[in-house]
């Protein structure tokens, strides 16, 4: 099957054991990656350096560690990492999640059958303590037409599940900085380039969440980021003014006006299964 790269970004606040689990899940794919590009986004803790060094020593041909002297944030870290990926197909993965063992094989087979496809994601199951204790499942649409419609209201991909063609992402401007929405911003630019989208119906990644994760989806900075995305889609004529207003009002209520506990309930009730 076609060779592929894995792109991951790591910063100092992450958990060494979670990182180990994430790396193991990608190394042990039924179709192993050709390389894992791990971006060190600024200085790390000794514990994280130890884990990275351990895997570099065990798999010297597999790991490509890119060191950024200062923390750049996810968008710019991924921008730098993607540039050094040596393969056309690139799988994104977070450093605290666990991929299912045949995730990449399923995605590679789908790309084989659709040479026009740019990006392919899938579903996620969320957990707090153990992957077999699911607390939520984020379900996204599957076909290109459905996803282009879905993205007018919500982010169309689970970022940690996607595999994409590097050349198309570079052509669209690569990852850029946009607080909490680096991925959504990229998907919008890919859509404007006419790129083809798809999601698998399968769960591809078990996603680790904190007990207060849903509650933290709020605050002024988060709200401004979300409204900025809506303004961008309005300016690019992806949505009309009525949709812009409706999306903005919903975000104002949920992200700024709701107490944290109520916001957590709303996310669990309406944004997750």
């Amino acid at each position: 099957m076609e060779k592929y790269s894995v792109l991951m970004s790591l910063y100092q606040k992450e958990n060494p054991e979670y990182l180990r689990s994430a790396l193991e899940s990608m190394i042990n794919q039924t179709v192993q990656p050709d390389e894992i590009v791990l971006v060190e986004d600024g200085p790390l803790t000794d514990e994280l350096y130890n884990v990275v060094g351990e895997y570099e020593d065990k798999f010297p041909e597999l790991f490509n560690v890119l060191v950024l002297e200062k923390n750049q944030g996810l968008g710019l870290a991924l921008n730098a990492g993607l540039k050094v990926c040596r393969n056309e197909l690139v799988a994104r993965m977070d450093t605290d999640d666990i991929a299912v063992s045949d995730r990449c094989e399923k995605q590679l087979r789908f790309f084989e059958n659709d040479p026009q496809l740019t990006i392919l994601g899938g579903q996620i199951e969320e957990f707090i303590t153990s992957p077999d204790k699911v607390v939520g499942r984020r379900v996204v649409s599957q076909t290109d037409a459905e996803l282009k419609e879905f993205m007018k209201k919500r982010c169309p991909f689970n970022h940690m599940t996607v595999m994409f063609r590097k050349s198309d992402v570079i052509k669209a401007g690569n990852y850029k900085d946009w607080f909490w929405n680096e991925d959504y911003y990229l998907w919008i630019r890919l859509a404007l380039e006419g790129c083809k989208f798809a999601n698998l119906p399968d769960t591809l990644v078990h996603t680790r969440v904190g007990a207060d994760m849903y509650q933290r989806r709020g605050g002024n900075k988060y709200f401004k980021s979300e409204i900025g995305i809506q303004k961008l889609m309005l300016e690019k004529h992806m949505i009309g003014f009525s949709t812009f207003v409706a999306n903005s009002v919903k975000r104002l209520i949920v992200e700024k006006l709701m107490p944290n506990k109520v916001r957590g309930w709303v996310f669990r009730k309406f944004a997750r299964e």
Side-chain angles (χ1 to χ4, degrees):
M1 302 186 77
E2 185 172 350
K3 292 181 178 180
Y4 70 99
S5 302
V6 175
L7 177 58
M8 305 173 74
S9 176
L10 178 66
Y11 81 118
Q12 63 179 356
K13 292 185 179 180
E14 299 191 50
N15 184 302
E17 291 309 311
Y18 296 170
L19 171 62
R20 190 184 301 277
S21 296
L23 292 176
E24 287 290 335
S25 75
M26 297 309 293
I27 291 168
N28 294 314
Q29 287 290 302
T30 53
V31 177
Q32 191 180 60
D34 178 59
E35 70 168 347
I36 295 177
V37 174
L38 183 62
V39 183
E40 293 182 357
D41 188 12
L44 306 177
T45 63
D46 289 342
E47 292 79 8
L48 288 170
Y49 281 128
N50 288 339
V51 174
V52 174
E54 174 189 332
Y55 281 90
E56 280 189 289
D57 291 343
K58 287 172 66 177
F59 304 98
E61 301 300 319
L62 181 61
F63 276 82
N64 180 3
V65 178
L66 177 63
V67 178
L68 304 181
E69 292 186 4
K70 295 182 179 180
N71 180 263
Q72 302 291 311
L74 181 61
L76 296 181
L78 294 178
N79 179 296
L82 182 60
K83 290 175 182 176
V84 304
C85 288
R86 64 185 176 220
N87 296 297
E88 169 68 351
L89 288 180
V90 178
R92 264 287 289 127
M93 181 62 179
D94 283 343
T95 49
D96 55 358
D97 296 332
I98 301 172
V100 301
S101 62
D102 60 349
R103 166 203 164 170
C104 293
E105 180 178 357
K106 288 179 177 178
Q107 291 179 296
L108 291 168
R109 294 193 185 283
F110 202 97
F111 271 102
E112 279 185 349
N113 293 325
D114 191 347
Q116 303 304 314
L117 184 65
T118 288
I119 180 168
L120 174 66
Q123 317 306 321
I124 59 171
E125 290 182 352
E126 297 172 331
F127 71 97
I128 296 173
T129 58
S130 173
D132 58 2
K133 296 180 180 178
V134 177
V135 298
R137 187 170 188 263
R138 184 169 189 262
V139 177
V140 283
S141 301
Q142 297 175 37
T143 69
D144 184 66
E146 291 171 339
L147 286 165
K148 299 292 173 56
E149 189 64 28
F150 186 94
M151 74 184 301
K152 295 177 182 179
K153 296 182 179 180
R154 296 172 58 199
C155 184
F157 293 103
N158 292 310
H159 189 195
M160 69 292 291
T161 71
V162 300
M163 179 180 284
F164 52 68
R165 297 189 190 277
K166 174 181 175 178
S167 58
D168 288 343
V169 171
I170 295 294
K171 181 181 178 183
N174 203 340
Y175 281 96
K176 296 183 179 182
D177 184 45
W178 195 303
F179 178 73
W180 272 90
N181 279 297
E182 297 89 352
D183 55 337
Y184 204 167
Y185 184 30
L186 176 57
W187 315 150
I188 289 169
R189 287 180 281 121
L190 287 173
L192 291 170
E193 289 285 339
C195 294
K196 186 175 181 181
F197 294 176
N199 275 317
L200 292 170
D202 314 70
T203 294
L204 298 185
V205 176
H206 300 288
T207 304
R208 197 182 304 271
V209 298
D212 63 342
M213 189 274 285
Y214 304 124
Q215 297 177 19
R216 290 185 286 106
R217 293 293 182 90
N220 193 53
K221 191 174 182 180
Y222 185 77
F223 175 70
K224 283 185 176 180
S225 174
E226 290 270 299
I227 295 303
I229 288 290
Q230 299 303 315
K231 286 180 179 178
L232 176 64
M233 289 195 290
L234 179 64
E235 291 167 1
K236 298 297 184 181
H237 308 292
M238 297 177 72
I239 59 174
F241 186 71
S242 60
T243 300
F244 169 77
V245 171
N247 289 348
S248 299
V249 169
K250 290 175 185 176
R251 284 161 173 78
L252 174 65
I253 293 171
V254 173
E255 295 164 12
K256 289 200 70 176
L257 303 182
M258 277 186 181
N260 283 348
K261 289 185 178 180
V262 177
R263 183 185 303 120
W265 178 85
V266 168
F267 267 95
R268 287 190 295 271
K269 183 71 174 177
F270 298 105
R272 298 293 190 271
E273 285 190 349

